[in-house]
Amino acid sequence: QHKEVITMTGISFEGRVAIVTGAGGGLGRAHALDLAARGAKVVVNDLGGSIAGTGGGTAMADQVVKEITAAGGEAVANYDSVATPEGGKAVVRAALDAFGTVDVLINNAGNIRNAPFTELTPEAIESLLAVHVKGAFYVTQPAFEVMRDKGYGRIVFTSSAAGIFGSPEQANYAAAKGAVLGLANVVALEGAPHGIRVNTVLPAAGGRMAADMNPDTLVGMPTTPAHFEPEMVTALASYLASEANPYNHEAFSIARGRYARVFIGVTEGHHVPFDAPVATAEDIAAHIDRIRDQDGYHVPGSMIEEFSLIP
Ligand code: NAD
């Protein structure tokens, strides 16, 4: 059955070992099931706690492993928190102990604690940065070492439209998700010479998080029916995690049935000639339309590229 799907689509994970963090439910569960159905041996990591990231347990990860093995796939559960260096190492060690290597890492674990900006407690700020940002560091570092040494790897980070475009009452979440994209940008550049491709997804789909929004902040959100199945995100994650994916250092949105590349560009801008005096605030005011003009923008592949694109 699985082999048929693979032949049909050409996207196979036969012989590959994958880690999916936060795979006890929502999007992560869908990612783990799809990778396993396509032949990957999967580490199903999940702390098993609440949507706020509190508590923990083995039931969520165990359930997904059960689903995978019942369907004829191979998986092991791991219950470590991604948010500490020891936890991150233990997640990767689970893959090495059970399956001998790591080819694919999908950083998906996350928590959420929404509140108006001035009401965000230090705890709500720190716990979000711990799970999303530190978690992405601490699992990816040991996985990257394995991938670098074997000269192959695929890493998918999970950011959010909230972090890249903004979303009221989610400052802690948005800051964390923006940081994830910044991290992915560098891991992508450092991974490239080693055959490691690193990309980011910005999902909108039916995990626990999508339900946890203040309706007042969602004014203007279209209410027409649209695909909201976690599997819609999984299609993109599996593609990016596959050997077939030739892209590195990119980000993609999946929302309301639309798949699209997301990028940060730089306008052509206003140039101060080398022999002219240093600009003043008045010079900026005089040229602000040119500075903001989006015609002819660039999408630099690195900081060096940004600077070298300036004539
Ligand atoms: P979810 O709550 O169903 O899944 C997140 C999982 O991460 C949970 O199972 C949770 O137990 C686990 N987790 C939390 N803290 C952990 C830790 N310290 N260590 C290991 N596991 C931990 O949410 P979801 O909606 O499926 O979201 C999955 C990812 O996608 C998250 O990173 C989320 O921020 C991101 N995202 C989701 C949406 C959406 O619309 N659902 C939108 C943008 C981004």
Side-chain angles (χ1 to χ4, degrees), residues 9 46 60-61 71-72 100 102 116 137 145 149 171 173 197 201 222 240 248 282-283 286 290 302:
T9 63
D46 206 288
M60 287 176 71
V102 186
F137 268 96
E145 281 184 42
D149 292 350
Y173 182 70
R197 296 197 180 129
V201 293
L240 294 173
N248 187 40
E282 288 74 14
D283 293 328
R290 179 78 190 122
S302 68

Side-chain angles (χ1 to χ4, degrees), residues 198-290:
V198 180
N199 294 283
T200 302
V201 293
L202 284 63
R208 292 195 296 192
M209 293 194 182
D212 196 52
M213 300 280 290
N214 174 355
D216 292 344
T217 68
L218 295 176
V219 173
M221 178 81 98
T223 54
T224 48
H227 276 299
F228 209 54
E229 302 88 347
E231 289 75 14
M232 290 292 288
V233 180
T234 295
L236 179 57
S238 287
Y239 171 74
L240 294 173
S242 74
E243 196 174 344
N245 162 34
Y247 303 108
N248 187 40
H249 196 188
E250 298 202 0
F252 299 90
S253 162
I254 159 63
R256 305 186 67 243
R258 184 217 54 194
Y259 297 91
R261 185 178 172 200
V262 172
F263 52 83
I264 296 175
V266 183
T267 65
E268 293 221 323
H270 161 67
H271 293 254
V272 180
F274 287 117
D275 50 359
V278 170
T280 62
E282 288 74 14
D283 293 328
I284 302 302
H287 295 101
I288 193 67
D289 289 346
R290 179 78 190 122

Side-chain angles (χ1 to χ4, degrees), residues 293-309:
D293 184 358
Q294 289 179 27
D295 281 350
Y297 63 82
H298 301 288
V299 181
S302 68
M303 183 183 78
I304 305 279
E305 196 179 311
E306 196 220 325
F307 298 159
S308 56
L309 282 169

Side-chain angles (χ1 to χ4, degrees), residues 22 24-28 45-49 51 53 60 80-83 108-111 131-132 158-160 173 177 203-205 207-210:
L27 308 187
N45 159 266
D46 206 288
L47 183 61
I51 190 166
M60 287 176 71
D80 286 290
S81 171
V82 297
N108 166 83
N111 57 343
V131 178
H132 294 276
T158 307
S159 180
S160 169
Y173 182 70
K177 287 308 202 186
R208 292 195 296 192
M209 293 194 182

